[in-house]
Amino acid sequence: MQRGRRKTCLFYNINRKEGRIPPATYRSGGCPAQFGMKYYQISHLVKSEDLNHHGTLFAGRSAEWLVEAAFVAAASQHGRPQDVLCINIHGFTFKKPVQKGDIITFLSKIAKVGNTSITVYVKAVSEIHGTTHVDGFLTFVCVEPDTKRKRPHGIVMDEPQDEEEKSIREKAGQLEK
């Protein structure tokens, strides 16, 4: 679900010398690579051990997978997973139960950035039925690995390019800190 590249950067790390973003994302000459607002995705097959007493996907397992997907987006964009900590799960909205045997893909994208914080939107979509089953927001903060003191992440967002991005960013802006 990744769109093509745009003319302006959505995210880039201002300070590459500190190793906060993988060098592979830079073109020769040290300029940031150009890329659009990206959905990261992780898929899971719902198995018997993932079910609750109703025979549907256990909410705790859904939450685990949602947090994992959000972390992947935040850590990938930042470039240093060891600097990224989850500080707030703003809540998830469960829309429809997930049955055993379904394949659920968790799609995550950066929705909002502060100086040290990164808010990520995640949704879980059935690969078989094409329906959204759960979605929500999580906030991460970047820290110094040794001291755990907050540190700026250097991520910059461009303007939203479509109505979905605009809606996600508006919702993220209304979240309590």
Side-chain angles (χ1 to χ4, degrees), residues 69-105:
F71 178 83
V72 166
S76 295
Q77 287 298 328
H78 178 55
R80 289 178 46 97
Q82 65 271 27
D83 294 356
V84 179
L85 296 175
C86 182
I87 60 166
N88 197 345
I89 299 172
H90 298 281
F92 300 128
T93 303
F94 293 90
K95 301 170 188 254
K96 186 175 181 183
V98 180
Q99 303 299 319
K100 177 177 140 186
D102 205 346
I103 299 166
I104 299 296
T105 296

Coordinates of all heavy atoms in Angstrom, one line a residue, residues 69-105:
A69 N 3.1 -3.0 15.1 CA 3.1 -2.4 13.8 C 3.4 -0.9 13.9 O 4.1 -0.3 13.1 CB 1.7 -2.6 13.2
A70 N 2.9 -0.2 15.0 CA 3.2 1.2 15.2 C 4.6 1.4 15.5 O 5.2 2.4 15.0 CB 2.3 1.7 16.4
F71 N 5.2 0.5 16.3 CA 6.7 0.7 16.6 C 7.5 0.6 15.3 O 8.5 1.3 15.1 CB 7.1 -0.4 17.6 CG 8.6 -0.4 17.8 CD1 9.1 0.5 18.7 CD2 9.5 -1.2 17.1 CE1 10.5 0.6 19.0 CE2 10.9 -1.1 17.4 CZ 11.4 -0.2 18.3
V72 N 7.1 -0.4 14.4 CA 7.8 -0.5 13.1 C 7.8 0.8 12.3 O 8.9 1.2 11.8 CB 7.3 -1.7 12.3 CG1 7.8 -1.7 10.9 CG2 7.6 -3.0 13.0
A73 N 6.7 1.4 12.3 CA 6.6 2.7 11.5 C 7.5 3.8 12.2 O 8.3 4.5 11.5 CB 5.2 3.2 11.5
A74 N 7.3 3.9 13.5 CA 8.1 5.0 14.2 C 9.6 4.7 14.2 O 10.4 5.6 13.8 CB 7.6 5.1 15.7
A75 N 10.0 3.5 14.4 CA 11.4 3.1 14.5 C 12.1 3.2 13.1 O 13.2 3.6 12.9 CB 11.6 1.8 15.1
S76 N 11.3 2.8 12.0 CA 11.8 2.8 10.7 C 12.0 4.2 10.2 O 13.0 4.5 9.6 CB 10.9 2.1 9.7 OG 10.8 0.7 10.1
Q77 N 11.1 5.1 10.5 CA 11.2 6.5 10.1 C 12.3 7.2 10.8 O 13.1 8.0 10.3 CB 9.9 7.3 10.2 CG 8.9 6.9 9.2 CD 9.3 7.2 7.8 OE1 10.0 8.1 7.5 NE2 8.9 6.4 6.8
H78 N 12.5 6.9 12.1 CA 13.5 7.5 12.9 C 14.9 6.9 12.5 O 15.9 7.6 12.5 CB 13.3 7.3 14.4 CG 14.3 7.8 15.3 ND1 14.7 9.2 15.2 CD2 15.1 7.3 16.2 CE1 15.7 9.4 16.1 NE2 16.0 8.2 16.7
G79 N 15.0 5.6 12.3 CA 16.2 5.0 11.9 C 17.0 4.4 13.0 O 18.0 3.7 12.7
R80 N 16.6 4.6 14.2 CA 17.4 4.0 15.4 C 16.3 3.4 16.3 O 15.9 4.1 17.3 CB 18.2 5.1 16.0 CG 19.4 5.5 15.2 CD 20.3 6.6 15.9 NE 20.5 6.3 17.3 CZ 21.7 5.8 17.7 NH1 22.6 5.4 16.9 NH2 21.9 5.6 19.0
P81 N 15.9 2.2 16.2 CA 14.9 1.6 17.0 C 15.3 1.6 18.5 O 14.4 1.8 19.4 CB 14.9 0.1 16.6 CG 15.4 0.1 15.2 CD 16.4 1.2 15.1
Q82 N 16.6 1.6 18.9 CA 16.9 1.7 20.3 C 16.6 3.0 20.9 O 16.6 3.1 22.2 CB 18.4 1.4 20.5 CG 19.4 2.4 19.8 CD 19.7 2.1 18.4 OE1 19.0 1.5 17.6 NE2 20.9 2.6 18.0
D83 N 16.3 4.0 20.1 CA 15.9 5.3 20.7 C 14.4 5.5 20.9 O 14.0 6.5 21.4 CB 16.4 6.5 19.7 CG 17.9 6.6 19.6 OD1 18.6 5.9 20.3 OD2 18.3 7.4 18.8
V84 N 13.6 4.6 20.4 CA 12.2 4.8 20.4 C 11.4 4.0 21.5 O 11.6 2.8 21.6 CB 11.6 4.3 19.0 CG1 10.1 4.5 18.9 CG2 12.3 5.1 17.9
L85 N 10.6 4.7 22.3 CA 9.8 4.1 23.4 C 8.4 4.5 23.2 O 8.0 5.6 22.9 CB 10.3 4.6 24.7 CG 11.7 4.3 25.2 CD1 12.0 5.0 26.5 CD2 11.9 2.8 25.3
C86 N 7.5 3.5 23.5 CA 6.1 3.8 23.4 C 5.7 4.5 24.8 O 6.0 4.0 25.8 CB 5.3 2.5 23.3 SG 3.5 2.8 23.2
I87 N 5.0 5.6 24.7 CA 4.6 6.3 25.9 C 3.1 6.4 26.0 O 2.6 6.7 27.1 CB 5.2 7.7 26.0 CG1 4.8 8.6 24.8 CG2 6.7 7.7 26.1 CD1 5.1 10.1 25.0
N88 N 2.3 6.2 25.0 CA 0.9 6.3 25.1 C 0.2 5.5 24.0 O 0.4 5.6 22.8 CB 0.5 7.8 25.0 CG -0.9 8.1 25.5 OD1 -1.7 7.2 25.7 ND2 -1.2 9.3 25.7
I89 N -0.8 4.7 24.5 CA -1.7 4.0 23.6 C -3.0 4.8 23.8 O -3.6 4.7 24.8 CB -1.9 2.5 24.0 CG1 -0.5 1.8 23.8 CG2 -2.9 1.9 23.1 CD1 -0.5 0.4 24.4
H90 N -3.4 5.5 22.8 CA -4.5 6.4 22.9 C -5.8 5.7 22.9 O -6.9 6.3 23.1 CB -4.5 7.5 21.8 CG -3.2 8.4 21.9 ND1 -3.1 9.4 22.8 CD2 -2.1 8.3 21.2 CE1 -2.0 10.0 22.6 NE2 -1.3 9.3 21.7
G91 N -5.8 4.5 22.6 CA -7.0 3.7 22.5 C -7.2 3.1 21.1 O -6.8 3.6 20.1
F92 N -7.9 2.0 21.1 CA -8.2 1.3 19.9 C -9.7 1.2 19.7 O -10.4 1.0 20.7 CB -7.6 -0.1 19.8 CG -6.1 -0.1 19.9 CD1 -5.5 -0.9 20.9 CD2 -5.3 0.7 19.1 CE1 -4.1 -0.9 21.0 CE2 -3.9 0.7 19.2 CZ -3.3 -0.1 20.2
T93 N -10.2 1.3 18.5 CA -11.7 1.1 18.3 C -11.8 -0.3 17.6 O -11.3 -0.4 16.4 CB -12.2 2.2 17.4 OG1 -12.0 3.4 18.1 CG2 -13.7 2.0 17.2
F94 N -12.5 -1.2 18.2 CA -12.7 -2.5 17.6 C -14.0 -2.4 16.9 O -15.1 -2.2 17.5 CB -12.8 -3.6 18.7 CG -11.4 -3.8 19.4 CD1 -11.1 -3.1 20.5 CD2 -10.5 -4.7 18.8 CE1 -9.8 -3.2 21.1 CE2 -9.3 -4.9 19.4 CZ -8.9 -4.2 20.5
K95 N -14.0 -2.7 15.6 CA -15.2 -2.4 14.7 C -15.9 -3.7 14.3 O -17.1 -3.7 14.1 CB -14.7 -1.7 13.4 CG -14.1 -0.4 13.7 CD -13.5 0.2 12.5 CE -12.7 1.4 12.8 NZ -13.3 2.6 12.4
K96 N -15.2 -4.8 14.3 CA -15.7 -6.1 13.8 C -14.9 -7.2 14.3 O -13.6 -7.1 14.2 CB -15.8 -6.1 12.3 CG -16.5 -7.2 11.7 CD -16.6 -7.1 10.2 CE -17.4 -8.3 9.6 NZ -17.5 -8.3 8.2
P97 N -15.4 -8.3 14.8 CA -14.6 -9.5 15.2 C -13.8 -10.1 14.1 O -14.2 -10.1 12.9 CB -15.6 -10.5 15.8 CG -17.0 -9.8 15.7 CD -16.9 -8.6 14.9
V98 N -12.7 -10.7 14.4 CA -11.8 -11.4 13.5 C -11.9 -12.9 13.8 O -11.8 -13.3 14.9 CB -10.4 -10.9 13.6 CG1 -9.5 -11.7 12.6 CG2 -10.3 -9.4 13.4
Q99 N -12.2 -13.7 12.8 CA -12.4 -15.1 12.9 C -11.1 -15.9 12.7 O -10.1 -15.4 12.1 CB -13.4 -15.6 11.9 CG -14.8 -14.9 12.0 CD -15.5 -15.1 13.3 OE1 -15.5 -16.1 13.9 NE2 -16.1 -14.0 13.8
K100 N -11.0 -17.1 13.3 CA -9.9 -18.0 13.1 C -9.7 -18.2 11.6 O -10.7 -18.4 10.9 CB -10.1 -19.3 13.9 CG -9.1 -20.3 13.7 CD -9.4 -21.5 14.6 CE -9.1 -22.8 13.8 NZ -9.5 -24.0 14.6
G101 N -8.5 -18.2 11.2 CA -8.2 -18.5 9.8 C -8.1 -17.2 8.9 O -7.6 -17.3 7.8
D102 N -8.5 -16.1 9.5 CA -8.4 -14.9 8.7 C -7.0 -14.4 8.7 O -6.2 -14.7 9.6 CB -9.3 -13.8 9.3 CG -9.7 -12.7 8.3 OD1 -9.1 -12.7 7.2 OD2 -10.7 -12.0 8.6
I103 N -6.6 -13.7 7.7 CA -5.3 -13.1 7.6 C -5.5 -11.6 7.8 O -6.2 -10.9 7.0 CB -4.6 -13.4 6.3 CG1 -4.4 -14.9 6.1 CG2 -3.2 -12.6 6.2 CD1 -4.1 -15.3 4.7
I104 N -4.9 -11.0 8.9 CA -5.0 -9.6 9.2 C -3.7 -8.9 8.9 O -2.7 -9.3 9.4 CB -5.4 -9.5 10.7 CG1 -6.7 -10.2 11.0 CG2 -5.5 -8.0 11.1 CD1 -7.9 -9.6 10.3
T105 N -3.8 -7.8 8.2 CA -2.7 -7.0 7.9 C -2.8 -5.7 8.7 O -3.8 -5.0 8.6 CB -2.6 -6.7 6.4 OG1 -2.4 -7.9 5.7 CG2 -1.4 -5.7 6.1

